[in-house]
Amino acid sequence: NAGVTQTPKFRILKIGQSMTLQCTQDMNHNYMYWYRQDPGMGLKLIYYSVGAGITDKGEVPNGYNVSRSTTEDFPLRLELAAPSQTSVYFCASSQREPGVGYEQYFGPGTRLTVT
Amino acid sequence: AQSVTQLGSHVSVSEGALVLLRCNYSSSVPPYLFWYVQYPNQGLQLLLKYTSAATLVKGINGFEAEFKKSETSFHLTKPSAHMSDAAEYFCAVSAFEGGSYIPTFGRGTSLIVHP
């Protein structure tokens, strides 16, 4: 199993440009998540999905959109990039384990710079 | 609503010394608790998890954590620090609220290990 894969690893965008961050998992997990990580701020949840066709906002959804057409893929779309979206983005997936809850598996991250 | 507080954004220890990283949580329902570790330029990986089967949880690389319900704490410890333990550590809580399990992460504690 590859686990959770993310592309690209790095990207530089100009203000106002758009892009899609790709995320794929091969563990057949129902739950998928997008986080952003800024220095000293921990992880902030952007969007999450509990299954194909179902998505919901997290703590910081403004400026982002997601879709979940398949169990495996959960792309994150930035429509009009702004400098405030400069961050490291992590995708994660999880599945309910009886008595454990939802242990998450993380991708390697995408480092995005908006200038 | 659930929240996680990690006391100390940085903890510095000497190699061979005890490691103690603090985590307190709040949750209105019984939570699941996790510690994740993040090495430089990598995604997060699970260190250990609280399953409710035992209050003392053992994880990878010699780490362990104790769940104390009365103190709402889940502190991470390791008897003897190694240089390779230098990383960012995140405590996370996940409770069934609002119809789903959505984890909340602390801001992270950077562990610095001196020779």
Side-chain angles (χ1 to χ4, degrees):
Chain A
N1 285 351
V4 180
T5 57
Q6 291 183 239
T7 56
K9 285 187 167 52
F10 304 93
R11 184 70 186 268
I12 297 175
L13 280 182
K14 294 189 184 300
I15 295 171
Q17 286 185 322
S18 301
M19 77 164 294
T20 298
L21 281 65
Q22 301 292 343
C23 176
T24 300
Q25 54 94 5
D26 62 0
M27 296 171 283
N28 202 33
H29 286 171
N30 283 341
Y31 275 61
M32 294 188 75
Y33 317 79
W34 274 105
Y35 295 92
R36 59 176 290 171
Q37 183 180 30
D38 302 299
M41 300 302 292
L43 277 75
K44 300 291 187 184
L45 183 64
I46 304 171
Y47 272 94
Y48 69 96
S49 169
V50 302
I54 307 169
T55 63
D56 209 345
K57 297 177 180 178
E59 184 181 357
V60 290
N62 291 343
Y64 308 94
N65 276 301
V66 294
S67 59
R68 183 96 182 269
S69 57
T70 66
T71 298
E72 296 77 19
D73 300 307
F74 191 42
L76 178 71
R77 179 82 177 163
L78 284 69
E79 289 295 349
L80 293 170
S84 61
Q85 293 178 305
T86 293
S87 188
V88 181
Y89 291 85
F90 289 101
C91 180
S93 71
S94 68
Q95 188 78 331
R96 176 78 187 277
E97 293 182 46
V100 175
Y102 292 79
E103 169 189 339
Q104 293 184 298
Y105 295 79
F106 284 83
T110 295
R111 189 174 297 272
L112 177 67
T113 302
V114 182
T115 61
Chain B
Q2 56 194 21
S3 66
V4 177
T5 302
Q6 291 184 241
L7 291 176
S9 58
H10 295 83
V11 170
S12 182
V13 300
S14 298
E15 191 172 21
L18 171 72
V19 175
L20 171 61
L21 305 183
R22 300 178 186 273
C23 173
N24 288 86
Y25 69 92
S26 68
S27 176
S28 58
V29 297
Y32 297 109
L33 296 161
F34 307 86
W35 275 99
Y36 291 87
V37 61
Q38 183 182 32
Y39 298 103
N41 300 314
Q42 294 185 26
L44 281 70
Q45 56 183 280
L46 185 72
L47 201 56
L48 51 78
K49 56 194 177 188
Y50 170 63
T51 67
S52 77
T55 57
L56 184 62
V57 181
K58 294 188 184 300
I60 61 173
N61 301 337
F63 283 93
E64 60 184 36
E66 186 172 8
F67 172 65
K68 291 187 176 180
K69 184 178 179 180
S70 61
E71 299 177 7
T72 61
S73 68
F74 191 56
H75 301 331
L76 182 71
T77 61
K78 182 174 180 178
S80 177
H82 193 273
M83 296 295 292
S84 61
D85 294 327
E88 190 87 14
Y89 292 81
F90 292 92
C91 182
V93 60
S94 181
F96 191 75
E97 295 185 50
S100 58
Y101 280 94
I102 302 302
T104 299
F105 284 80
R107 291 193 170 192
T109 297
S110 178
L111 178 64
I112 302 162
V113 183
H114 297 286

